[in-house]
Amino acid sequence: MQRYDRLKEILRLDPDKDFLAIYRLTATYEFPWDFTRALELALFRTYAVPSIGGLLAETAEFTDRAQKRYDDTALLLDAVVEHGFESDTARTAIRRVNQMHRSYDISDDDMRYVLCTFVVIPARWLDAYGWRPMTHHERRASANYYATLGRHLGIRDIPGSYEEFEATLVAYEAAHFGWDEGARKVADSTLDLMASWYPAPLAPAVRRGGIALLDDSLIEAFRYEAPRAGVRKLVQGALRLRGRAVRLLPPRRAPHYARQNPEIKGYPGGYDVGELGTFPVPGSGGCPVPHPRRPAGAEAQPPA
């Protein structure tokens, strides 16, 4: 198999019908490391919306139990990617997410925005740092994949294309990014978590590198000291160099799922998808991927 053979396979598929297959090939064969980093960056964008970041601070799930919340979020979302919407495993994962999110009144607009980050930020990351950019074909499949996931999670008024997802994200950030003390604590805790994955002497550099990847709107929202231009250039340059190096490697022969990431540390003996996450009493605990409570009597659509 040659470096671009899997892309040829992707391009033979229909992004409106085969979106799960395309998304799985893109995320688990072509760019597993990049998707993980991009979705971590997407977390910070959600924190910068005070209604989201403030709620996460109130639950304390991403400040007091950051590793578990990171693990559970990644594993629940990954279960759908790996097993598909029709599987019992995916049904269980979606049910768990919905059970957690019903515990809070979260606006449909915030819910929709979080979904937008899942679609847009990986594409932006790959444009900047990937060994190749994400194609329009893959963007369309990603938009269809997350639109389907969003319907299962009860999200309303979901954008109908990648372009609409991106326009919704840009408009929402312009209107809602702002300072919140609790959100800053959540951002700090997430940076500390990421730094903890490396040897202690490297932790300060990892934290500075993480801040260097935040754009100016996030730096302003969290009131971080702006990174030095040289630091930002060094971090971004290293990532671009990595992308060029990966381009020279042979293609991946087997999929790599989030559950295989070394950053997932909480379940060395394995896990039961039905036991992931929290089991909160409304108002006393929550989940790091926020979604709104549905009206009384309404249920999320089950996987088709």
Side-chain angles (χ1 to χ4, degrees), residues 14-246:
D14 185 333
D16 295 324
K17 297 179 180 178
D18 305 317
F19 54 84
L20 172 60
I22 292 173
Y23 186 80
R24 187 182 286 144
L25 288 168
T26 302
T28 71
Y29 280 92
E30 297 283 78
F31 305 106
W33 187 88
D34 296 275
F35 265 64
T36 298
R37 302 287 84 79
L39 292 175
E40 289 167 357
L41 188 60
L43 284 175
F44 286 94
R45 305 200 80 82
T46 68
Y47 303 160
V49 177
S51 55
I52 298 174
L55 175 61
L56 295 178
E58 290 176 14
T59 70
E61 292 298 319
F62 238 131
T63 51
D64 296 351
R65 294 168 289 276
Q67 183 68 63
K68 178 172 171 52
R69 295 285 68 76
Y70 177 93
D71 292 353
D72 290 355
T73 303
L75 294 173
L76 286 167
L77 294 175
D78 193 54
V80 184
V81 178
E82 181 170 4
H83 299 285
F85 290 103
E86 297 182 1
S87 70
D88 289 341
T89 301
R91 290 172 183 268
T92 300
I94 290 169
R95 187 180 306 115
R96 278 272 58 236
V97 172
N98 283 323
Q99 287 169 348
M100 289 186 286
H101 296 162
R102 279 194 208 104
S103 298
Y104 294 95
D105 288 318
I106 305 173
S107 73
D108 287 328
D109 290 341
D110 280 353
M111 169 87 157
R112 193 178 308 107
Y113 170 68
V114 173
L115 196 69
C116 289
T117 67
F118 295 161
V119 176
V120 176
I121 303 309
R124 289 182 176 178
W125 176 280
L126 293 177
D127 285 347
Y129 308 121
W131 65 266
R132 65 168 175 83
M134 198 175 191
T135 66
H136 176 75
H137 201 78
E138 291 167 303
R139 293 171 199 248
R140 185 168 173 177
S142 178
N144 284 325
Y145 173 82
Y146 280 108
T148 302
L149 179 62
R151 286 191 289 273
H152 294 322
L153 297 176
I155 302 177
R156 291 175 284 189
D157 301 324
I158 297 172
S161 66
Y162 175 86
E163 291 75 18
E164 290 179 15
F165 271 107
E166 185 169 38
T168 301
L169 178 138
V170 169
Y172 206 66
E173 291 182 349
H176 295 281
F177 267 14
W179 164 256
D180 182 89
E181 183 177 357
R184 167 62 186 263
K185 291 179 181 178
V186 175
D188 286 343
S189 179
T190 304
L191 286 171
D192 290 342
L193 171 66
M194 294 173 179
S196 75
W197 298 332
Y198 300 88
L202 296 178
V206 172
R207 198 176 190 279
R208 287 194 297 271
I211 292 175
L213 287 174
L214 305 181
D215 63 30
D216 291 341
S217 64
L218 291 175
I219 296 292
E220 181 179 352
F222 296 133
R223 297 183 182 175
Y224 283 135
E225 181 179 350
R228 295 179 181 178
V231 173
R232 182 168 274 172
K233 184 177 180 180
L234 177 64
V235 172
Q236 294 176 346
L239 288 169
R240 293 189 182 100
L241 182 61
R242 176 197 171 272
R244 288 195 290 271
V246 171

